[in-house]
């Protein structure tokens, strides 16, 4: 197992606190966050979730692969190992060693299919890293 993988204690199959969080973020931005997180939830039977640093995080077991967060004027759909993801649509932002995010803004169209592919790729990537080290 790769010792560098981030791990979070307390992830569960469905955390009711996340639905409360999502319900508290209404409007178009809240809907975007909910949609992104629902895609993460649907990636596989092994998906677990928790609130970390005040936002919903999706994990494979205890290893996080994605998160959503709502800000005043945008939503981030983020990936813990995003630097390694293929991004032919050029959606990813950030310059850190590992993490990347997609910034979604109200009334600005995003390539929903490409975003869904990024979420699914992040899940597949973390699954490969967990299973193969």
């Amino acid at each position: 197992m790769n010792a560098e993988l981030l791990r979070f204690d307390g992830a569960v199959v469905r955390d009711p606190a996340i639905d409360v969080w999502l319900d508290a973020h209404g409007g178009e931005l809240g809907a975007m966050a909910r949609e992104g997180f629902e895609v993460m939830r649907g990636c596989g039977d092994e998906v677990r979730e928790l609130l970390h640093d005040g936002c919903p995080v999706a994990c494979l077991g205890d290893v996080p692969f994605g998160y959503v967060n709502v800000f005043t004027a945008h939503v981030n759909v983020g990936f813990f190992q995003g630097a390694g993801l293929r991004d032919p649509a050029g959606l990813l932002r950030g310059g850190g060693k590992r993490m990347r995010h997609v910034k979604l803004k109200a009334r600005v169209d995003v390539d929903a299919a490409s975003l869904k592919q990024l979420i699914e790729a992040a899940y597949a990537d973390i699954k490969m890293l967990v299973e193969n080290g």
Side-chain angles (χ1 to χ4, degrees):
M1 176 67 59
N2 185 340
E4 291 188 38
L5 289 176
L6 181 63
R7 296 179 177 278
F8 292 145
D9 289 332
V12 297
V13 172
R14 185 81 178 222
D15 186 345
I18 289 178
D19 290 314
V20 170
W21 188 96
L22 291 166
D23 289 344
H25 293 83
E28 190 174 355
L29 294 177
M32 289 177 187
R34 180 176 294 280
E35 187 175 323
F37 202 75
E38 289 299 333
V39 173
M40 291 178 197
R41 282 176 162 165
C43 283
D45 292 338
E46 306 93 348
V47 173
R48 302 296 180 261
E49 59 190 51
L50 70 145
L51 284 176
H52 177 75
D53 284 345
C55 63
V57 174
C59 302
L60 173 70
D62 64 349
V63 180
F65 68 91
Y67 70 91
V68 296
N69 204 356
V70 176
F71 297 91
T72 303
H74 71 278
V75 171
N76 280 355
V77 177
F79 307 100
F80 287 84
Q81 297 289 326
L85 294 176
R86 286 189 57 248
D87 180 24
L91 298 177
L92 292 173
R93 301 289 175 256
K97 185 175 179 180
R98 291 187 178 86
M99 293 185 75
R100 296 289 185 275
H101 65 276
V102 176
K103 186 181 279 191
L104 307 175
K105 294 185 177 184
R107 295 176 297 283
V108 176
D109 287 337
V110 66
D111 182 347
S114 293
L115 178 57
K116 185 175 191 263
Q117 288 173 346
L118 276 174
I119 293 169
E120 291 169 346
Y123 173 77
D125 183 57
I126 209 69
K127 186 170 181 149
M128 188 271 308
L129 288 171
V130 167
E131 291 177 352
N132 299 316

